């Protein structure tokens, strides 16, 4: 069955809620410096109540699911799931920031207690941290036929979770370059193009280490799936040099979209979903996947340990791996659906979106998309501190 479609272009980016690097560093210091955070005994277990309690408690980011155009609080794809399965979904938009959510669930999770949720969505690097903390439960792929059949090949194996045992992508996106064609006056194809003298003071990059450094490393020909500390420092030296030259106007969070839209920024590091939305109002804005590569990232569904409604949660995630459901969701959130077949279904909803390379990259683009390798807690702390020292001086 195909759920009712609620397509609304130009929605606020999910990544508008990502915090700055200073807050992230403080939270990371707290997480790494406190004993007893991880459970050495492995994930906690609890009886699965799915058979007797037809319920899933699902925490997600704001603006990350389709809603009814009538503004009546309905969520068509979730409502269709409940109608098809009889499983009610207690849906809460309380994941406003990865670090904030980590801190919110930490008291219970670190003690093996229920966090009051069966499913939640966090970014790749936070997924990795929660796995290291033993806070999450493994999915049973044998009960998830749509995931098995339809998860995009390039997302099936990632360094932090080979085989996607603990994390399944909810939506994906690209970190690349955006520029204003009118202001720049030429094509931009590589990171090094942002360092041209006539763009001095007109370039922005992200204030988060995990967002900016992978793209800089890719621009230097470094494989972000295997990079070393020496590779990181090489890219950081390039960044420091450009800062010293005054090339970079600012390091920003999601406010980069405002300065880009206003013409205050000529070129910048950007997220694909943002530029897709901005280009609806300004066709001079272009998103580029650099020839040397761009980062492919995902926000992932995870089940906590312990989880009270495991089978129901697995059934819900599997529902969103049906191509028609994935397309309905993507038509609203406008990020890359991690589901094969979603493009064909999108063509039935919105042919223009189905042809948009920011939502459905072609094969040549896919080859240039790279997933950043997992960082250890020590690397995360060291790299974030070095990046913060360089960008906040």
């Amino acid at each position: 069955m195909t759920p009712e479609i609620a397509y609304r272009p130009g929605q606020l980016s999910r990544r508008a809620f990502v915090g700055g690097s200073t807050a992230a560093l403080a939270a990371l210091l707290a997480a790494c410096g406190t004993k007893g955070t991880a459970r050495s005994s492995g994930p906690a277990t609890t009886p699965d109540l799915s058979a007797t309690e037809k319920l899933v408690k699902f925490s997600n980011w704001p603006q990350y699911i389709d809603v009814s155009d009538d503004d009546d609080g309905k969520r068509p794809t979730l409502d269709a799931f409940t109608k098809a399965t009889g499983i009610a979904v207690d849906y809460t938009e309380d994941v406003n920031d990865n670090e904030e959510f980590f801190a919110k669930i930490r008291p219970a999770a670190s003690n093996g207690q229920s966090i009051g949720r069966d499913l939640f969505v966090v970014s790749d690097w936070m997924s990795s941290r929660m796995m290291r903390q033993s806070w999450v439960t493994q999915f049973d792929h044998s009960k998830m036929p749509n995931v098995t059949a339809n998860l995009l090949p390039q997302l099936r194996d990632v360094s932090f979770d080979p085989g996607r045992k603990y994390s399944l992508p909810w939506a994906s996106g690209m970190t690349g370059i955006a520029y204003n064609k009118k202001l720049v006056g030429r094509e931009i194809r590589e990171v090094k193009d942002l360092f041209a003298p006539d763009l001095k003071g007109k370039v922005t990059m992200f204030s988060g280490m995990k967002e900016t450094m992978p793209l800089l490393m890719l621009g230097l020909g470094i494989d972000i799936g295997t990079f070393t500390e020496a590779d990181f420092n090489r890219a950081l030296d390039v960044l420091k040099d450009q800062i010293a030259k005054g090339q970079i106007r600012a390091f920003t969070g999601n406010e980069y979209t405002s300065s880009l839209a206003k013409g205050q920024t000529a070129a910048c590091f950007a997220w694909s979903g943002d530029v897709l939305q901005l280009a609806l109002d300004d066709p001079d804005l272009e998103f580029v996947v650099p020839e040397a590569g761009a980062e492919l990232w995902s926000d992932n569904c995870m089940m906590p340990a312990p989880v009270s409604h495991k089978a129901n949660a697995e059934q819900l995630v599997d529902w969103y791996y049906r191509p028609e459901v994935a397309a309905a969701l993507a038509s609203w959130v406008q990020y890359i659906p991690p589901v094969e077949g979603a493009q064909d279904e999108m063509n039935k909803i919105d042919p223009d979106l189905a042809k948009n390379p920011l939502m459905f990259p072609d094969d040549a683009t896919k080859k240039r998309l790279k997933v950043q390798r997992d960082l250890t807690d020590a690397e995360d702390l060291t790299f974030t501190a070095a990046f913060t020292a360089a960008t906040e001086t």
Side-chain angles (χ1 to χ4, degrees):
M1 105 183 241
T2 302
E4 175 189 351
I5 302 304
Y7 167 59
R8 185 183 302 168
Q11 292 302 311
L12 178 65
S13 167
R14 196 290 278 149
R15 295 207 158 216
F17 300 92
V18 176
S21 60
T22 301
L25 177 59
L28 179 60
L29 284 166
C32 294
T34 303
K35 296 180 179 179
T37 300
R39 293 194 305 274
S40 60
S41 58
T45 59
T46 190
D48 189 355
L49 305 176
S50 294
T52 56
E53 294 183 3
K54 295 298 183 181
L55 176 67
V56 178
K57 296 181 179 181
F58 183 11
S59 285
N60 204 350
W61 297 77
Q63 305 286 339
Y64 223 17
I65 201 166
D66 53 312
V67 298
S68 171
D69 282 332
D70 297 332
D71 197 26
D72 55 6
K74 294 182 179 179
R75 300 180 175 97
T77 56
L78 276 185
D79 294 342
F81 170 77
T82 297
K83 183 177 180 179
T85 65
I87 299 170
V89 182
D90 182 358
Y91 187 82
T92 307
E93 295 180 332
D94 65 339
V95 187
N96 291 303
D97 175 274
N98 283 290
E99 295 286 4
E100 177 188 285
F101 188 73
F102 180 90
K104 185 186 301 183
I105 70 171
R106 181 180 174 187
S110 61
N111 289 306
Q113 299 170 349
S114 172
I115 65 167
R117 301 162 178 83
D118 302 301
L119 195 66
F120 57 83
V121 176
V122 291
S123 301
D124 282 335
W125 58 272
M126 182 56 73
S127 299
S128 174
R129 187 193 296 181
M130 289 189 175
M131 288 173 60
R132 293 196 299 271
Q133 302 293 328
S134 298
W135 287 6
V136 288
T137 297
Q138 185 171 325
F139 288 103
D140 185 349
H141 283 229
S142 70
K143 297 179 180 178
M144 308 177 80
N146 294 317
V147 169
T148 301
N150 299 327
L151 176 58
L152 289 176
Q154 63 266 43
L155 295 173
R156 288 179 180 269
D157 282 295
V158 290
S159 62
F160 66 85
D161 187 13
R164 288 290 186 180
K165 296 177 181 179
Y166 293 91
S167 64
L168 287 168
W170 174 257
S172 300
M174 299 175 282
T175 303
I177 298 169
Y179 72 102
N180 187 309
K181 291 181 286 187
K182 184 181 294 184
L183 292 179
V184 175
R186 60 182 180 278
E187 287 190 344
I188 285 181
R189 287 290 173 260
E190 299 288 358
V191 170
K192 65 181 180 181
D193 294 341
L194 274 61
F195 303 150
D198 63 328
L199 295 182
K200 181 178 179 179
K202 301 176 183 178
V203 174
T204 67
M205 295 182 182
F206 289 121
S207 58
M209 179 273 291
K210 298 178 184 71
E211 287 75 38
T212 286
M213 292 306 295
L215 203 57
L216 282 171
M217 286 190 282
L218 284 167
L220 294 173
I222 296 168
D223 184 350
I224 62 172
T226 59
F227 75 90
T228 65
E229 184 172 0
D231 292 328
F232 178 91
N233 288 331
R234 178 184 162 201
L236 189 64
D237 286 341
V238 170
L239 181 63
K240 289 177 179 178
D241 181 57
Q242 295 302 321
I243 293 172
K245 292 178 178 178
Q247 190 74 15
I248 302 172
R249 178 174 179 267
F251 290 90
T252 72
N254 201 71
E255 65 269 23
Y256 83 93
T257 58
S258 177
S259 61
L260 182 64
K262 293 177 181 178
Q264 297 167 341
T265 296
C268 60
F269 285 6
W271 289 307
S272 54
D274 290 342
V275 182
L276 189 157
Q277 295 170 20
L278 291 173
L280 293 172
D281 296 321
D282 187 349
D284 285 325
L285 298 181
E286 183 88 6
F287 182 85
V288 175
V289 175
E291 294 297 324
E295 184 187 10
L296 175 66
W297 51 262
S298 298
D299 292 320
N300 305 298
C301 296
M302 306 190 86
M303 296 186 298
V307 56
S308 298
H309 304 94
K310 182 176 186 291
N312 292 345
E314 290 169 337
Q315 195 169 348
L316 177 59
V317 175
D318 199 57
W319 170 261
Y320 279 95
Y321 274 78
R322 296 175 55 156
E324 70 274 16
V325 179
L329 175 66
S331 73
W332 206 89
V333 303
Q334 296 187 16
Y335 279 99
I336 300 171
V339 178
E340 288 194 286
Q343 186 171 16
D344 290 338
E345 294 296 330
M346 182 66 79
N347 197 52
K348 302 173 185 177
I349 301 171
D350 188 318
D352 288 337
L353 279 183
K355 292 182 290 187
N356 195 303
L358 300 190
M359 288 188 66
F360 298 99
D362 58 26
D363 290 340
T365 301
K366 289 177 182 177
K367 292 179 180 179
R368 302 203 304 274
L369 298 179
K370 309 296 180 182
V371 177
Q372 182 180 187
R373 75 166 176 85
D374 188 19
L375 300 180
T376 67
D377 284 338
E379 286 177 325
D380 199 345
L381 183 60
T382 298
F383 294 164
T384 300
F387 178 83
T388 301
T391 59
E392 296 191 352
T393 55

